[in-house]
């Protein structure tokens, strides 16, 4: 089997508003069945990015970190499933919350702390890694092997395939 090429885009944002704006542009490009896997430390801006993505999908509901539920569903023309695995105690629990049902469902699924269910993530996904570089500066790396998502993220930032 030929593995499709990986696309990698790097964006730096200088404040939360810029991260929201990036999310909005990304959200407008996402569609049914897309899975976005977010990683990065606490406070890196994962939930902030989800806010932008929701706005870009035309969803006006308040996006916050699901506290007691691991998954929040927001209805829209295309529904958004917001998963946050921060409070997850182990991979066994992931199995029991039925994330797969969402991932293979009829909306966009965004997973915070996606590394906690790494082995269960679909191969066709968009990985977004957020890194704190300063008080309000974040380095955001988007990676995908999906041809469809690769086309979608082109133009969001600089192509970092050749350098870093
Ligand atoms: P996470 O979900 O990764 O734990 P949050 O999005 O909840 O992170 O929190 C990020 C915090 O950092 C927010 O208080 C936000 O206002 C702040 N912040 C500062 N600069 C940025 C930036 N460039 N991008 C995103 N958030 C930022
Ligand atoms: Mg969060």
């Amino acid at each position: 089997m030929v593995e499709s090429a990986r696309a990698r885009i790097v964006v730096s944002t200088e404040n939360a508003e810029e991260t929201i704006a990036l999310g909005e542009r990304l959200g407008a490009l996402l569609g049914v069945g897309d899975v976005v896997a977010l990683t990065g430390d606490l406070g890196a801006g994962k939930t902030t990015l989800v806010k932008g993505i929701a706005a870009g999908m035309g969803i006006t509901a308040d996006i916050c970190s699901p506290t007691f539920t691991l998954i929040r569903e927001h209805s829209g023309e295309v529904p958004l499933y917001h998963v946050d695995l921060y409070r997850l105690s182990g991979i066994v629990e992931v199995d029991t919350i039925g994330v797969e049902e969402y991932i293979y469902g009829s909306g966009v699924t965004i997973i915070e702390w996606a590394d906690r269910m790494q082995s269960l993530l679909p191969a066709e996904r968009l990985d977004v890694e957020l890194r704190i570089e300063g008080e309000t500066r974040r380095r955001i790396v988007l990676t995908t092997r999906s041809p469809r998502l690769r086309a979608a993220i082109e133009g969001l930032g600089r192509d970092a395939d050749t350098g870093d």
Side-chain angles (χ1 to χ4, degrees), residues 46-47 65 84 112:
K46 299 180 293 299
T47 303
S65 290
D84 190 327
E112 294 192 45

Side-chain angles (χ1 to χ4, degrees), residues 13-16 19 40-48 65 112 135-138:
T13 64
E14 300 298 335
N15 52 56
T19 298
D41 290 341
L42 199 63
K46 299 180 293 299
T47 303
T48 302
S65 290
E112 294 192 45
E135 203 171 321
T136 67
R137 185 181 169 88
R138 304 291 188 268

